[in-house]
């Protein structure tokens, strides 16, 4: 992710590069002057370096200057065209031996000041708009990051509990995945226990996302590299919530073991993908949010690791005749409903 690549130890590189560039230019121009000897020329060069440093330090400066340049360009062209049109008039007046046409120069200066005032007003207004936009964006990123972190907080507890800190990350990740899916002591998943033992788990429905619904109008502010994993995470989360409601329904309970196990296996896969996409979304949000947080190791592992599993043969796990009593119950329910 671009935001993460630019950050090292929680410190953004541009926060170091911009002041470093200014100090180097100051040293080169004033401490050890190897460039123009004229002080005004050195000051102009230093002003240009400061402007470049501002653009590096804060991308908002570059956006504002670009918009101001789009407005200033046609005004400047009109001003240059006006001056060029007046040059023959000025030359004619001077050729006739008249005094310098000061009124023309004063008019040109007054027009330039008015045009500069328009550009400056637009510059200030654009700066305020960009500041408000950046503030709204950062608040949206903070809120989304908090909600995604709240969903993933149980993963951090499992990461600390399921393996010692000195263990290999892959081994700890397997332990986290097993604990998250509720494996028993024999290492069987809930779906396998449903097929083999007729286990009937209760599936908590979970909670609906609040921040996403509240801040939906601000989602258009999100950068593309953040919006894609965030929307993907919330889409997976919604699929899991709807599937959890189906798993607690009476229609699901009336199915045979193999079918119930297969559906629950799909639910487990949705959970795994939701966690994976949640880690990707949190990392993307954290890379863009100020201030940044320290990235948990388990988030980076889950974001990159493919934790999908191979679907077992649930028909082979179901004991022979295990679904006969359930079929008899369904037949009896059907006869009573006909009566």
């Amino acid at each position: 992710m671009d935001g993460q690549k630019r950050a090292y130890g929680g410190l953004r590189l541009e926060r170091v590069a911009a002041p470093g560039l200014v100090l180097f230019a100051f040293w080169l121009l004033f401490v050890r002057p190897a460039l123009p000897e004229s002080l005004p020329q050195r000051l102009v060069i230093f002003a240009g370096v400061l402007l470049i440093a501002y653009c590096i330090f804060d991308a908002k400066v570059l956006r504002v200057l670009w918009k101001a340049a789009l407005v200033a360009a046609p005004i400047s062209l009109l001003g240059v065209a006006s001056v060029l049109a007046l040059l023959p008039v000025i030359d004619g007046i001077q050729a006739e031996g008249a005094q310098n046409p000061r009124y023309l120069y004063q008019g040109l200066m007054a027009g330039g000041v008015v045009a500069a005032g328009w550009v400056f007003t637009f510059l200030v207004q654009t700066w305020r708009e960009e500041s408000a936009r950046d503030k709204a964006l950062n608040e949206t990123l903070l809120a989304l990051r908090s909600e995604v972190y709240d969903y993933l907080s149980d993963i951090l507890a499992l990461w600390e509990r399921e393996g010692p800190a000195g263990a290999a990350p892959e081994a700890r990740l397997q332990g986290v995945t097993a604990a998250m899916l509720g494996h028993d002591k024999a290492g069987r998943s809930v779906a396998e226990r449903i097929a083999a033992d007729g286990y009937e788990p209760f599936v908590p429905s979970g909670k609906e996302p609040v921040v996403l619904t509240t801040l939906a109008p601000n989602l258009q502010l999100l950068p593309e590299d953040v919006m894609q994993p965030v929307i993907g995470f919330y889409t997976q989360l919604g699929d899991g919530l709807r599937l959890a409601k189906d798993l607690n329904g009476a229609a699901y309970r009336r199915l045979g073991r193999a079918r119930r196990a297969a559906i629950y296996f799909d639910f487990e896969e949705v959970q795994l993908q939701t966690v994976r996409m949640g880690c990707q979304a949190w990392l993307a949000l954290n890379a863009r949010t100020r201030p940044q947080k320290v990235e948990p190791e388990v988030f980076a592992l889950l974001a990159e690791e493919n934790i999908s599993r191979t679907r077992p043969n649930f028909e082979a796990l179901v004991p022979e005749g295990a679904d006969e009593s359930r079929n008899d119950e369904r037949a009896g329910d059907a006869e009573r409903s006909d009566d």
Side-chain angles (χ1 to χ4, degrees):
M1 299 177 183
D2 296 339
Q4 291 172 264
K5 293 179 181 178
R6 295 188 305 172
Y8 179 76
L11 182 64
R12 298 172 68 190
L13 293 180
E14 55 264 35
R15 302 298 186 187
V16 179
L21 178 62
V22 173
L23 292 176
F24 177 74
F26 182 84
W27 174 81
L28 194 63
L29 292 170
F30 301 105
V31 179
R32 186 178 179 275
L35 291 176
E37 296 182 359
S38 173
L39 181 60
Q41 291 181 358
R42 279 185 266 168
L43 290 176
V44 170
I45 295 175
F46 188 67
V49 172
L50 282 177
L51 186 60
I52 296 174
Y54 288 151
C55 295
I56 296 175
F57 189 80
D58 191 349
K60 177 175 59 180
V61 178
L62 186 60
R63 297 198 305 266
V64 172
L65 290 177
W66 172 249
K67 292 182 179 179
L70 294 178
V71 175
I75 296 177
S76 301
L77 291 176
L78 289 176
V80 172
S82 301
V83 172
L84 294 176
L86 289 174
L87 284 178
V89 178
I90 297 174
D91 293 339
I93 294 175
Q94 292 178 342
E96 294 176 0
Q99 297 180 352
N100 292 333
R102 297 179 180 177
Y103 61 92
L104 289 178
Y105 294 137
Q106 292 173 356
L108 292 174
M109 292 178 62
V113 170
V114 172
W118 291 342
V119 176
F120 181 77
T121 302
F122 177 80
L123 192 67
V124 173
Q125 181 181 359
T126 305
W127 180 269
R128 291 176 178 173
E129 292 175 354
E130 291 292 333
S131 299
R133 178 185 178 278
D134 287 350
K135 182 180 179 181
L137 173 60
N138 197 62
E139 290 176 350
T140 303
L141 292 171
L142 280 171
L144 290 172
R145 185 181 69 175
S146 299
E147 185 169 61
V148 175
Y149 185 86
D150 180 67
Y151 178 83
L152 299 174
S153 58
D154 293 340
I155 305 299
L156 292 175
L158 291 175
W159 178 256
E160 297 297 333
R161 188 183 66 194
E162 294 301 324
E170 292 76 11
R172 297 180 69 185
L173 191 60
Q174 291 179 358
V176 168
T177 304
M180 184 172 56
L181 298 178
H183 287 193
D184 60 6
K185 295 181 179 180
R188 299 182 304 171
S189 66
V190 174
E192 292 172 333
R193 292 158 60 191
I194 291 174
D197 305 333
Y199 177 64
E200 295 186 358
F202 175 77
V203 184
S205 59
K207 57 182 179 180
E208 297 287 341
V210 177
V211 174
L212 181 69
T213 305
T214 305
L215 299 178
N218 289 349
L219 293 181
Q220 59 180 342
L221 300 176
L222 296 179
E224 184 178 356
D225 61 332
V226 176
M227 183 178 295
Q228 183 175 357
V230 168
I231 298 301
F233 163 71
Y234 281 105
T235 301
Q236 284 289 121
L237 182 60
D239 293 342
L241 293 176
R242 288 187 292 271
L243 189 53
K245 294 180 181 178
D246 294 337
L247 293 177
N248 290 322
Y252 172 76
R253 301 294 180 185
R254 289 195 295 266
L255 298 175
R257 288 190 185 184
R259 291 187 63 189
R260 285 189 292 125
I263 295 174
Y264 197 91
F265 180 85
D266 293 337
F267 173 69
E268 291 177 335
E269 288 296 304
V270 170
Q271 283 185 307
L272 292 176
Q273 292 303 317
T274 302
V275 169
R276 182 169 182 262
M277 300 196 72
C279 292
Q280 294 175 352
W282 190 92
L283 293 174
L285 290 166
N286 188 56
R288 292 281 189 170
T289 307
R290 301 293 173 261
Q292 286 185 344
K293 285 187 175 182
V294 178
E295 298 176 359
E297 181 183 6
V298 64
F299 286 3
L301 290 174
L302 286 172
E304 301 296 334
E305 190 73 18
N306 185 10
I307 52 180
S308 299
R309 303 161 301 160
T310 304
R311 179 185 292 270
N313 185 1
F314 293 111
E315 295 286 351
L317 295 177
V318 178
E320 186 176 355
D323 285 333
E324 292 182 358
S325 59
R326 184 178 293 272
N327 294 333
D328 294 340
E329 292 177 2
R330 290 202 301 269
D333 292 340
E335 291 176 359
R336 286 192 293 272
S337 62
D338 292 340
D339 295 339

